[in-house]
Each structure stands twice: as C-alpha cells, then as structure tokens.
Amino acid sequence: MASDGARKQFWKRGSSKVPGSIQHVYGAQHPPFDPLVHGTLLTATPKVPTTPVKATRASTFQEFESSTSDAWDAGEDDDELLAMAAESLNTAVVMETAHRVLRNHSQRQGRPRPPGAPEPSAEPSVDPSAAPGGDLRLVKSISESHASCPEGIASDDAPLQRSQSLPHAATVALGGVPEPSALSTSALSEREASRLDKFKHLLAGPNTDLEELRKLSWSGIPKPVRAITWKLLSGYLPANVDRRPATLQRKQKEYFAFIDHYYDSRNDEVHQDTYRQIHIDIPRMSPEALILQPKVTEIFERILFIWAIRHPASGYVQGINDLVTPFFVVFICEYTDDEDADSADISRVPEDVLRNVEADTYWCMSRLLDGIQDNYTFAQPGIQMKVKMLEELVSRIDEQVHRHLGQHEVRYLQFTFRWMNNLLTRELPLRCTVRLWDTYQSEPEGFANFHLYVCAAFLVRWRKEILEERDFQELLLFLQNLPTAHWGDEDVSLLLAEAYRLKFAFADAPNHYKK
C-alpha cells in the first residue's frame, strides 16, 4: 500500500543530520575542557555504542532511534564529547584566560605575585610550596577522574595543575585557604548588590512594571527599597512616578482628618470597650523594645482605633494589632540608622516623618485587611475555613503526622488558629516575618491563599519533633512554642519554596486534597 511505503520512507535515515538530536552544553552538565588533563582524549579510541547491535540489519526505526541522542544518557559519552570539544579549543587562548584569572585573584586578595612567577604569556607552572599550610586538595569532577596523571607527579599534587583551568572560586588554594565565611559573605554581598541594582532600575522608570516587580520581589526585597516596594505592591501608591507625591499627600491628609474626626470619641461609652482592649493588647506585642516606646504606643493606638471605627463589620479583634508592626518597622527603617529594627530609637525621628510613617502604615494595613476581613468578622468564618483546609491538606501530604496528632487528640484549631489569626507573626522573629511578607506581597492573594500552603509547609517542617512527642500536653506546648528564635532568611526561603511546591500541586485542584 502507498501509505505503508510512505511510512517506511519517513523512518529512513537521511544524509543530513537528524533534527532533534541533543548536544551537550559545556558548563551545565560537564566542566570546561582542560587540555592539560584531557590531552590524551584527543586520541581516544572510539566508544562502543551503548545500543546493542544485532547481527542482522536493523529496522529503519531502530536506525532512527540509534541516530538520536537522549538527554538522560548524556553522562555516558563524556570522554568522547571532551575529545570532540578539544578539536575546537585553542590551547593558547585557554592558558592565557586561566592565567588572567589567577592574576586578577592575586590582585583582589592584595597579595604580590610570588617570586619567580611566570609572566602571563609564559606557560604557567605551579609550585606546591607557594601555599604553605594550605590544603592542596581540590575537588575532582567525575570526568576528570578518568584522565591519568602524568608520570612523576604525586596524586596530591595533580589537582594543582588542573586548578589553573578551574573556576575562580577553586583557585584560592594557590594563595592559601581563606575563611569559607569570607568567600560566602563576598558572594552574598555581590548577589545582593546585583539584586538591588535590578530593583532600582525597575523603580526608576516613569511607570513601574508591577508584574515584573512582583516576580523580582518573590525571593526577597533589599532593605533600601523595601518600603517603596511594599507601598507599590499593596496598591497604596500608583505605578506612575509623577502621581505618587500627590497620592501620598492626599492619603496622609485624609488619615489625619480621620484622627481629628474620630479619635476623641475613644472615651465615649459606645467605643470604650474597643479602645480599652487596644490599650491592653499593645504592651503584649513584640518586639517590646520598640512597642513600649511611648510614641510608638500612641501611634499604634490611633491606627487600630481608627481602623476599628471605620470597619464596624468586624471592629477590633485581637490579632489585628500584630499586623501593624511589620509595616511600621519597614517604613520607619527608611529614617533610622539602626541595624536592628526591633530596638530602633524612635525619639530621634523627626515628628513630621513619624506622622507620614503612621499614615502610610494605616493605609497599607487597611489594604491587607481588606483581603482577609472574613478572618475577623463574627465567628471568624475565614479562619475556621482555612484551618479545615489545612487539616485536609496535611492529611494528604503527610498522613503520618496527621494521624499522630489525631491519636493524641490534638486538634488543628488548638494551634493553627493563631497561625491564621496573626499570619505567623507570633511564631517567627520579626526579621523573618518581614522576609515572609516580601513574598506575600508579591503573590496574588498571598495573605489570603498562599498563607495556607506556608502553614502546611511550616507544620511538616517539624514532623520529626512532632512524631517524637507522645503526650497531648507536650505536643501542644511544642506546637505553640516552636523553636524559631534563630531562624534567618535562608530558613524562610526554604519554607516558601516548599509552600510554593504545595501550591503548585494543590491550588488549582482543590478536590485533589479532599477525602
């Protein structure tokens, strides 16, 4: 049949290279080719094909299959690929580049070139005595382990020759071993500087691209631009730069009009209970060194009372007070030199600046609460629903933890109510809460929806400790006092990554985690 003939012709090997074959990219799965080490590979013998060859002629489909490369079998042909790459590499260029890296590194470290060191154009040689007391062992890559060492050179010295073509970080052994913390701090500062430049470039335009700003903010916002970024992501400030000064002035004027109109009514009989509860709750907040400053206490009282009066559907509910602190700390840090915002001295901040920070905090907190107000209305139905969803989600992702809690009669509402009510502000240090909110601000409905997956990841994070507890009281005490005092940005980033994985799996398939 004609159709059969056409199908056979389709699978026949053509003279040109079959499209779709996958070629290795050096620097991703394979290290850079080093002619000093892999010179013997130039004459490598052909590798035996991994696909068994039958004695009879293979079918046309099998020919097609054997002519294409599979990405998952890439590691089987390292030597062959390195030999192919050597043909297109210029040895002089490679050596010149490697020596330039060494010279730049020596200049950065402020060390003079060792006596007798060769000029850049000369063939570089390494003397093991140049690094006294240093660890001369460098990590071998898998592909390098196949190459034999030249005769007369000890195995411990061989890595030194390879180090001339290794990346910059690996060449530090030539001038002594620096402290690992110094290298990590240097790399971290460079990365932070690069991220800060990206933020500044994005914010400098006449119209800020909020979608790009959200993507950039997901993995954390640098401190110098955090305040303006939060105001933009919360919807408090417009994306257009020219409109921002007028918007700030109008909103700040509007807030202080509320103060003049409503705040004197705090002593009226109808509002006495609300103001009294606010006045009691504020000293219980953390960090105490910041909150107990008289000016801060007055600011928080005004913000919470005005919000309660203007939102009679919920009024003031315990837990709302904790949502003020992150905004206030981020905004006040623009005007203080204190590294630790937990103990910033507000008395040194000018009065007009404090007024502006107070207004900005009120409006941004209001934007947040607009999205989760059902958490604070009568009977708090939003929290009840989220706790139930969290229980169902945990039962799917870690049935052992879920069953363990049930066996010891620990109910989710007993410990996760505060997680939902305070958005984990009581479970994490303030610095971690601020980092967490960077991502919440950049997530669509981050405080309302993404928080659920963060809580699930947060609970499973402690599965080992939970499973070790065999008593109701001990379990509940542990879950209400989780050891996060020493957490940092890295811990929060890992938590957010796991939460994102859960969201990706369950957010668009709610029936998937329902029994």
Side-chain angles (χ1 to χ4, degrees), residues 270-503:
V270 67
H271 298 314
Q272 274 185 350
D273 291 342
T274 297
Y275 180 74
R276 177 177 174 274
Q277 189 62 54
I278 292 172
H279 191 70
I280 292 173
D281 288 344
I282 288 178
R284 300 173 179 172
M285 296 168 60
S286 61
E288 293 182 357
L290 176 68
I291 302 300
L292 295 183
Q293 296 181 45
K295 286 187 177 181
V296 178
T297 300
E298 294 172 7
I299 288 172
F300 278 42
E301 285 181 355
R302 286 195 293 266
I303 290 174
L304 292 169
F305 184 77
I306 296 301
W307 190 90
I309 295 299
R310 288 184 47 78
H311 295 81
S314 63
Y316 173 74
V317 177
Q318 285 181 304
I320 294 178
N321 53 312
D322 286 318
L323 307 185
V324 181
T325 309
F327 288 113
F328 180 79
V329 166
V330 168
F331 297 157
I332 202 67
C333 279
E334 281 190 297
Y335 307 100
T336 61
D337 297 328
D338 299 278
E339 289 294 329
D340 189 2
D342 295 12
S343 57
D345 186 2
I346 306 303
S347 63
R348 294 180 296 178
V349 180
E351 194 65 32
D352 58 333
V353 170
L354 275 179
R355 286 172 58 86
N356 294 339
V357 168
E358 178 180 346
D360 296 343
T361 301
Y362 170 82
W363 288 114
C364 288
M365 186 201 71
S366 298
R367 292 276 185 171
L368 186 161
L369 290 171
D370 286 347
I372 57 172
Q373 194 166 353
D374 59 344
N375 286 6
Y376 305 104
T377 54
F378 177 72
Q380 298 180 272
I383 292 179
Q384 301 277 355
M385 179 182 65
K386 288 183 177 67
V387 170
K388 182 63 176 175
M389 292 175 67
L390 177 63
E391 182 176 358
E392 294 172 347
L393 181 57
V394 173
S395 70
R396 291 298 182 181
I397 64 177
D398 199 327
E399 187 177 359
Q400 189 177 5
V401 168
H402 176 73
R403 194 186 314 115
H404 185 76
L405 293 174
Q407 286 173 352
H408 293 85
E409 299 182 351
V410 176
R411 301 290 174 258
Y412 282 77
L413 198 63
Q414 293 171 327
F415 64 93
T416 61
F417 180 88
R418 190 172 71 183
W419 297 8
M420 302 297 179
N421 191 54
N422 303 72
L423 298 178
L424 291 176
T425 55
R426 292 293 180 98
E427 304 352 285
L428 299 174
L430 180 58
R431 62 183 180 277
C432 295
T433 299
V434 171
R435 168 63 190 92
L436 183 68
W437 284 24
D438 285 346
T439 300
Y440 281 2
Q441 297 272 12
S442 59
E443 272 282 328
E445 299 183 343
F447 294 98
N449 296 333
F450 188 63
H451 181 67
L452 169 69
Y453 303 99
V454 171
C455 289
F458 189 57
L459 177 61
V460 176
R461 160 68 176 77
W462 308 102
R463 74 181 311 275
K464 179 177 179 293
E465 293 82 356
I466 290 172
L467 295 176
E468 288 175 352
E469 298 291 349
R470 300 290 178 177
D471 177 72
F472 167 81
Q473 183 176 357
E474 295 298 327
L475 260 175
L476 203 56
L477 283 174
F478 174 75
L479 290 169
Q480 291 178 345
N481 299 277
L482 293 167
T484 60
H486 301 290
W487 270 34
D489 286 357
E490 184 177 351
D491 300 283
V492 177
S493 297
L494 291 173
L495 179 69
L496 290 167
E498 177 62 16
Y500 184 81
R501 187 186 69 82
L502 295 176
K503 177 192 173 187

Side-chain angles (χ1 to χ4, degrees), residues 80-138:
E80 201 169 304
L81 289 163
L82 289 169
M84 293 168 57
E87 297 176 3
S88 60
L89 284 176
N90 187 319
T91 304
V93 173
V94 170
M95 299 310 302
E96 174 63 23
T97 302
H99 200 81
R100 186 163 60 249
V101 170
L102 294 176
R103 186 171 64 254
N104 291 341
H105 175 73
S106 298
Q107 292 173 354
R108 286 186 181 182
Q109 296 296 328
R111 298 188 181 95
R113 183 179 301 170
E119 293 299 323
S121 59
E123 186 75 3
S125 61
V126 179
D127 183 6
S129 63
D135 187 1
L136 301 181
R137 295 172 297 174
L138 294 176

Side-chain angles (χ1 to χ4, degrees), residues 192-204 208 213 216-217 220-233 237 244 330-331 333-334 434 438 441:
E192 289 177 345
S194 175
R195 282 180 51 77
L196 180 58
D197 288 342
K198 291 180 181 178
F199 271 94
K200 288 182 176 179
H201 178 74
L202 189 59
L203 295 170
T208 303
L213 188 61
L216 197 58
S217 302
I221 304 171
K223 184 179 177 180
V225 295
R226 180 173 273 137
I228 182 65
T229 303
W230 276 28
K231 292 173 186 178
L232 286 167
L233 294 180
L237 286 183
R244 290 175 194 170
V330 168
F331 297 157
C333 279
E334 281 190 297
V434 171
D438 285 346
Q441 297 272 12

